Amino acid sequence: MSQAGAFRLQVGARTLATIPRRLVRVGLSLDAALAGQMPVLPPLGDAHGYRITSLPDTVAACGLLPDRLLRHVQQRYVRRWTDLTIGHDAWLAGLSANARSGLKRKGRKLAGEGRLDIRRYRDRDGIAVFHALTRPLSATTYQEKLLDAGLPENPAPLFAAADRDEVRAWLMLMDDRPIAYLCCTAEGTALRYDYVGHDPALGAWSPGTALHAQAMADLFAEKRFTRFDFTEGDGQHKRLFSTRGVACVDLLLLRPSIANRGALGVLSGFESGVGLAKRLTAVPVLKRLADRVRR
């Protein structure tokens, strides 16, 4: 549990505005989501409400959440994960033929651009090297610039995880220059998809996808973890690499104050407008017009 700071009015990854709110964040682990557990909500104190992430759909619909609080579903998604006990060959066989050929094609394209080197890190000394090499790359990524989800500047939590054998990190270099990274920490026997990024200039070559494919091969071979947890949210990359999932929601529960009702009204109106815009741009004529406007 931690404090979260604001409602973000976002279009894709870009935040247009924020509404300051003090929220107690309650994040469910993958084990808790799979078990369909109702989270224990700590006292609010002076916070405006809760932000609960990865709440199973079945729990959100069962009526056990406090009725006195205002409720708003921020997003619905499948929390995806990979079963690391099935073996690498079975995992590859579960990918579509197009996906398997796509991974090979991306690997060949990258190899044609320069000399590739993938390095792996897990102990304290290795994580120190990884952090020093990766932080400058992280600062250039959209994860850090738009999502505030870059590799942390303070490596102390990663060092502590390394001391417990609960961190795995990978770095791809091209001609000795870092171009993509993946850093994961453990929660129980699951390894979490925590920090990821790549050189934006090489986005067309998908270095992050190629690196993650190698990381999966390493994890299947190591047999230290039973699951790879893609955490909150969904996306094409997660759908490609995962084997299973659980339907979840991210939920806001707020005190029923006038200020909170107003903030939720603004947030709901904005989200409805974004949803309408997405539906309209699916119409071919309007999509072409939107593309011309963006150019």
Side-chain angles (χ1 to χ4, degrees):
M1 276 131 348
S2 60
Q3 288 280 91
F7 299 164
R8 294 185 177 186
L9 306 186
Q10 290 181 296
V11 177
R14 189 172 298 278
T15 299
L16 303 182
T18 59
I19 303 173
R21 295 285 91 181
R22 292 187 306 278
L23 303 174
V24 177
R25 185 184 183 278
V26 180
L28 274 73
S29 68
L30 177 59
D31 285 346
L34 290 173
Q37 293 179 1
M38 174 67 192
V40 176
L41 300 180
L44 274 177
D46 64 352
H48 295 105
Y50 301 99
R51 182 172 186 259
I52 307 175
T53 60
S54 288
L55 183 69
D57 240 348
T58 52
V59 176
C62 72
L64 296 178
L65 295 166
D67 290 333
R68 69 185 186 279
L69 300 177
L70 304 175
R71 185 180 303 194
H72 177 77
V73 174
Q74 283 194 296
Q75 62 173 337
R76 297 182 181 275
Y77 55 91
V78 175
R79 180 164 176 170
R80 300 188 182 274
W81 57 281
T82 299
D83 183 353
L84 295 176
T85 68
I86 63 175
H88 187 246
D89 290 343
W91 174 72
L92 276 178
L95 303 180
S96 69
N98 284 341
R100 291 194 298 271
S101 64
L103 288 175
K104 292 179 181 177
R105 184 173 62 253
K106 289 171 181 177
R108 288 195 299 268
K109 287 174 64 178
L110 266 174
E113 293 299 309
R115 178 172 49 82
L116 294 180
D117 180 20
I118 293 178
R119 301 177 186 175
R120 301 151 180 86
Y121 309 89
R122 56 187 290 179
D123 61 19
R124 176 180 281 259
D125 290 343
I127 293 299
V129 173
F130 169 80
H131 189 270
L133 289 171
T134 304
R135 261 305 305 164
L137 172 60
S138 176
T140 70
T141 64
Y142 82 89
Q143 285 88 350
E144 180 154 334
K145 291 182 176 180
L146 299 180
L147 302 179
D148 193 27
L151 190 72
E153 292 189 14
N154 178 10
L158 296 179
F159 291 161
D163 290 341
R164 300 188 301 268
D165 190 30
E166 292 181 352
V167 63
R168 297 292 184 271
W170 293 262
L171 181 63
M172 177 181 283
L173 300 94
M174 178 180 288
D175 297 330
D176 297 322
R177 178 173 62 88
I179 63 168
Y181 66 91
L182 173 63
C183 182
C184 308
T185 59
E187 190 169 29
T189 61
L191 198 65
R192 293 169 47 93
Y193 186 63
D194 288 329
Y195 307 108
V196 58
H198 64 264
D199 184 339
L202 295 173
W205 285 266
S206 303
T209 301
L211 178 62
H212 199 160
Q214 182 57 60
M216 296 300 285
D218 292 345
L219 292 173
F220 278 113
E222 183 185 2
K223 300 180 181 179
R224 160 73 169 83
F225 303 98
T226 62
R227 299 185 183 115
F228 189 91
D229 175 15
F230 283 97
T231 70
E232 294 91 356
D234 204 353
Q236 182 179 355
H237 180 85
K238 296 181 179 185
R239 291 191 292 272
L240 171 64
F241 281 88
S242 64
T243 59
R244 302 180 67 180
V246 54
C248 292
V249 300
D250 287 353
L251 187 67
L252 294 174
L253 296 176
L254 301 180
R255 297 181 191 273
S257 67
I258 294 175
N260 284 342
R261 291 181 189 275
L264 276 186
V266 172
L267 181 62
S268 298
F270 178 82
E271 290 174 347
S272 297
V274 171
L276 176 61
K278 288 181 179 178
R279 290 192 294 274
L280 289 176
T281 54
V283 178
V285 173
L286 294 176
K287 184 179 187 303
R288 288 195 294 271
L289 177 59
D291 290 340
R292 283 199 294 270
V293 170
R294 282 196 289 267
R295 284 197 295 268

